[in-house]
Structures are given as structure tokens and as C-alpha cells.
Amino acid sequence: MTGRRDPEVRAAVRQGASVAIATGLYGISFGALSVVAGVSVPQTMALSLLLFSGGSQFALIGVVAAGGSPFAAVATATLLGVRNTLYGTVVSPLLQVRGWRRLAAAQVTIDESTAVAVGQRTPAAVRAGFWTTGIGVFVLWNAFTLLGAVAGDALGDPRAWGLDAAAGAAFLALVWPRLAARRAQVVAALAVVVSLALIPLVPAGLPVLAAAAVAIVVGLVSRPATGRPEREDGDGGRPEEAQ
């Protein structure tokens, strides 16, 4: 791979790796909080390996810790996990993978991998950013989940270490540069207002979905002028890029 695409791919890999480290470290918090809530270490690891959705995992153990029923825990986690389906509709046409790679992509389609992927300018950078972030987060999240689960009570409250802010800070760093356009600022402001208004009124998970619905509605009524990576030619040649 040569030419102008190289720096963009390298930048996407660096961005994905930094996000993976910040997000993966937060797995310590989940592992520790999970065992404190009464979930066993094998069950905690199964959640990280199979469910692999931080928001859904924290929602599930939150319900368990509060004494809620298994049905309520699963329903809450599922509600938050719906957003990953929306992410899939965004990254699927960008990655254009088939077979087992499609299954692997589905497993690592999360907030962070989607954000890194859609922030790239070329198809090669999109793929590099998506896979670096998705696989990196998956490996580190599970490794640090195990560490947190084994440490358990010895670690104390993980929030005292600031780990609860690491993932949020990393995701904000990804989103912030994309708020330069006025339209993006309006969408973000509307999403914040809607989610804050709903937090005291509806169950956990619904404010997140409502905020996402704001962006979807805006996207349906007005197509973005830019932002979609150009496709490579069928012979693998370089796509024409805007100057």
C-alpha cells in the first residue's frame, strides 16, 4: 500500500489503538462491580465475551445489584443493546465483508469501532480503524474484565481510580472534531436536550435510543453533503479523492 493512503491508514490505526486502550481499561471497573453485585467470575467473563456491550453489561449488573429479577436485567440490557443494530446499518456498507468476517464484524460493532470507522476518509482507513478499534477493545476489555473480577473487593470502588471516565473521555474525543459543522452541533444539542428531559421520566436505555432517534430523523430529512468514504475501484485501484 503506497501513496497518500498510507498516512490515513496509519492515523486510523493509531486512533483505534488509543481508543481501545482507554476503553479496555474500563473493563476493570465492570469486572469488579460485577463480582461485587454477586455475579460469579465465569458469569462475568461470559457477559464480556458474548454480550460485549459495555452499556448493556453495566445495565444488567446494575439491575442485579439492585435486587431486580433476571427478566428485568435482560430486558434492560437488551434495550441498551438495540443501538448496536443501528451501528450495523452504518458500518455494513462501508466494510462490505462477507462470510465469517461479517460475523466477526457484527461482534465488534460497538460505539467506539463505529465512531472511529465513520471518521475516516478512505475505504482502507475505514477498515483499518474499525478492525483495530473493535478487536483491540474486545481483547483488552475481556483481559481487564478478568483482572477486575479476580481483584474484586481488593480493588475497592473502581470509580475512585477514574476508570469510569476513561471510556467517556475517549468517545468524546472522537465525537468532538465532528461537531465543527453547524448541522452536527444542532443534532448534538437536540439529542442532549431530549435525553436529559427523558432521564427522570423513562426507564434506563430509552433516553439513549431517543437521542439516537433525533439523529436518524435529521438524517432522513436532509442528506449529508460529505462524510461518506469513497469506494475503491473493482480492480483495487485508488479511489478519486476530493482535493
Side-chain angles (χ1 to χ4, degrees):
M1 188 178 298
T2 59
R4 294 173 57 191
R5 192 183 304 167
D6 278 346
E8 295 179 354
V9 170
R10 289 197 297 269
V13 170
R14 288 195 299 269
Q15 187 180 52
S18 63
V19 170
I21 292 172
T23 306
L25 284 170
Y26 194 23
I28 295 178
S29 181
F30 170 74
L33 292 175
S34 181
V35 295
V36 168
V39 181
S40 69
V41 173
Q43 290 171 333
T44 297
M45 291 308 303
L47 286 173
S48 282
L49 287 167
L50 303 177
L51 180 56
F52 186 52
S53 177
S56 297
Q57 292 176 227
F58 278 106
L60 189 148
I61 64 170
V63 174
V64 171
S69 67
F71 174 79
V74 172
T76 302
T78 301
L79 188 62
L80 279 174
V82 169
R83 73 190 190 282
N84 290 52
T85 302
L86 303 178
Y87 297 155
T89 63
V90 174
V91 300
S92 180
L94 300 181
L95 297 177
Q96 295 186 340
V97 291
R98 298 290 184 272
W100 67 267
R101 290 183 179 85
R102 190 176 183 87
L103 294 176
Q107 176 67 3
V108 297
T109 297
I110 54 176
D111 305 81
E112 293 80 10
S113 60
T114 301
V116 172
V118 300
Q120 310 308 317
R121 296 174 51 191
T122 67
V126 166
R127 291 191 291 269
F130 176 85
W131 289 112
T132 299
T133 309
I135 295 175
V137 172
F138 184 82
V139 172
L140 293 178
W141 177 265
N142 281 281
F144 283 107
T145 292
L146 178 60
L147 178 61
V150 171
D153 294 331
L155 184 65
D157 187 352
R159 289 171 292 189
W161 299 81
L163 295 175
D164 56 325
F171 195 72
L172 179 60
L174 289 174
V175 173
W176 191 260
R178 301 184 66 81
L179 298 179
R182 179 61 58 84
R183 180 166 160 269
Q185 295 170 2
V186 172
V187 171
L190 288 174
V192 169
V193 170
V194 169
S195 60
L196 289 178
L198 291 178
I199 285 175
L201 303 175
V202 300
L206 285 181
V208 175
L209 296 180
V214 171
I216 293 173
V217 170
V218 174
L220 289 176
V221 298
S222 59
R223 293 179 61 85
T226 60
R228 179 172 300 223
E230 291 123 15
R231 300 292 174 204
E232 292 178 321
D233 296 330
D235 59 359
R238 178 188 300 176
E240 293 186 4
E241 298 175 1
Q243 299 299 321

